[in-house]
Amino acid sequence: PYIKEKIVEVAHRFRNQYRRISSLVWAVGRGEVTVAGFVNQVLAHHFEENGGLINAVLEKYYQSLKS
């Protein structure tokens, strides 16, 4: 039962986030942009802006695997 409840909770959150993103994409792109394209651009911007921090976290993680 616990796992099923978690799956339903995650699916509900995903559905709500997808609706919000989809509305934003429509408002910005008026059908010219897909949700996937929009999310890809947001993630690319995030990785560009936070690349140093992301690399530091990954490096620390990889180092922990070696020890």
Side-chain angles (χ1 to χ4, degrees):
Y2 176 76
I3 292 175
K4 185 176 180 180
E5 290 171 3
K6 283 297 180 187
I7 291 171
V8 169
E9 179 184 335
V10 169
H12 178 71
R13 274 196 239 149
F14 177 78
R15 185 172 44 249
N16 288 340
Q17 290 172 349
Y18 184 86
R19 284 182 189 146
R20 291 185 75 188
I21 292 169
S22 182
S23 295
L24 180 59
V25 167
W26 179 254
V28 171
R30 299 284 184 200
E32 299 290 322
V33 179
T34 64
V35 169
F38 177 80
V39 169
N40 186 53
Q41 289 298 316
V42 169
L43 286 172
H45 177 74
H46 174 75
F47 290 144
E48 186 177 314
E49 291 290 313
N50 298 287
L53 177 60
I54 292 168
N55 289 338
V57 169
L58 289 174
E59 182 62 31
K60 186 174 182 178
Y61 171 71
Y62 294 139
Q63 290 300 320
S64 74
L65 294 176
K66 293 178 182 178
S67 51

